Amino acid sequence: MESPRYGNSIRVGTTRIAGFIPFPTFIILLASFLIGFIFIILEQFIFGIVFIVVAAFLLAILGIPFGSSDRTLVMRVLARMRHNRRVADGEATFVNNHLSDRSAEDLMGLPGALHTIKPVKALDGLGSEVELLHHSAVDMATVTFACSPRGVALQTQEDTDMQVGSFSGFLGSLASEGGLLGASVTVDSILKSSVPMAEAALESIDPYAPAASKQIYRETIGSMPLSVSNVLTYVTLGWQLSELDDDTEGAYAEIVSRLPGHESRLQAAGAGPMHAMNDPEYGDLMYTAYNPARESEVERDIQNDRPVVRHFEKSGPDFIDATHPRVVLHDGVASMSVMMLIPDPGKKTEKTYRRLFEPSKHFLRKRVTMLYRPIPVSQSRSRINNAERTSATELSSQRHVTQFDTVKAQGVQATMNQMTRGALVHEWALMVTVTFEPSRAAQREAENEIKAMMGGMKYHFVDYAADAAFHQTLPLGIFPWVYAADRKLLENSERELQEGE
């Protein structure tokens, strides 16, 4: 039996004439040629020709994006200049250990804008504590659920289909929830040593068990592979506090009252056993994110009941070095990130992107984050109408229409048909951060693996902002559309933090 196929992703954005010229650039280019032609008619030949050439040159470097990053030449140059200025000013490095001149209070704090995020406690209806992260720079509070999904390999196709439908219902519910700014799903995978698991299993042997049973048990443990996979899933939701209540405590209470509804919908979507994360869990998350080798240390602390508590605000890295254009170094390892530009237009099964989400021997850690931006129901129709007009314009402006172009246009029509039957559209993006050994050979191997696992998506490496992309993929609710409005404030706070080192 063939697996059902899901998905109908469409691209939104500026209309592209002839497949690569943005519509505003095309209009300006057309107007420039018209003005230049008028000067030629008025016998101002040299001025008219020079005007057309200069206008075409400026539009080529200012208004026509190209390459995998889909950015103009000027945007690329400005990005490089900003990066070089950060390197020259020392803002691309962060030293956070006893060798720095940071005060004892700031030591082991989080870098950049992360130091504006504060954990706060709130009470649910049963009097239990729930940990929120207050993003003070953008007036937002987030909650992260740690989930334990079962996985499609351990369930029937019928259960999988039901969970896909339930997850679609969960996404649809976000559009009608007041104050909700965004949501993200993070799948964190790692291959780690099997030694702690083997030691825990050996400690559980009953001393009074038969000798033959003990021997078989020990041999079974001894046949375990050297490394085992560990996949963690997080769901993060973020709300604008000022839209929930004039009082911050009241806004916290409103958020907590909404959590049971989201939890029940996520469990129906296959999230499995789940709970809202607390401060020590956030601390362990950050502590191990900066160096995957610390996973075994955290597990040993839990296994041996050691009273080790790592607070979120004191779980920063020893150092961060983002002077390289693409790779950020942190605590003895290296990371780089890629961002999806255009999703795979084809239909997909639940196993299409298995390689993207499962652990890989080419990485020390891999973190895939899908960002969802709710679209109000009142705006959904205008969004899909604009997408349909964009698709029709692009198709008619191309001299050679390929089968891929036709399929893309058919996808928009299929989406419109689904909306007439009650479906909703969602804006979403995908980012992947991979961590590897800090060597050129490991980087090359990681880049090749990324190219293989991204499938039919169009993507680009996040150059000149590797440190920001690394933190954006963490399950903390750093939504780009929220933080972009306060970019200047965040840059000032980051600069103040760097000056205090």
Side-chain angles (χ1 to χ4, degrees), residues 14 16 20-22 24-25 56-80 82 341 460 464:
T14 307
R16 300 293 177 93
F20 70 98
I21 304 177
T25 302
F57 173 75
L58 292 177
L59 289 173
I61 64 174
L62 290 172
I64 299 181
F66 65 95
S68 61
S69 63
D70 199 40
R71 293 188 295 179
T72 65
L73 180 62
V74 170
M75 294 171 63
R76 293 167 184 264
V77 172
L78 290 177
R80 181 184 290 270
R82 285 194 297 267
L341 285 181
H460 75 98
Y464 308 116

Side-chain angles (χ1 to χ4, degrees), residues 196 284 287 294-310:
D284 288 344
Y287 183 68
R294 296 168 178 164
E295 286 279 355
S296 298
E297 177 187 342
V298 172
E299 290 184 356
R300 288 180 185 276
D301 291 339
I302 297 174
Q303 175 187 341
N304 298 325
D305 294 326
R306 294 172 182 165
V308 178
V309 177
R310 300 176 183 87

Side-chain angles (χ1 to χ4, degrees), residues 86 91-96 102 106-117 286 290 312-322 328-331 467-468 470-471 474 476 478 483 490 493-498 501:
R86 288 186 65 212
E91 296 180 6
T93 56
F94 178 77
V95 181
N96 196 25
R102 294 171 61 82
D106 294 333
L107 205 60
M108 297 312 298
L110 294 169
L114 293 187
H115 83 286
T116 65
I117 303 176
M286 302 300 295
Y290 290 118
F312 172 74
E313 294 180 279
K314 293 295 183 181
S315 57
D318 289 335
F319 77 94
I320 291 181
D321 183 354
V328 55
L329 303 175
H330 48 89
D331 289 5
D467 50 344
F470 175 88
H471 292 108
L474 291 168
L476 303 176
I478 306 177
Y483 274 82
L490 294 177
S493 64
E494 183 172 353
R495 189 173 295 108
E496 291 172 1
L497 185 63
Q498 298 292 347
E501 295 179 7

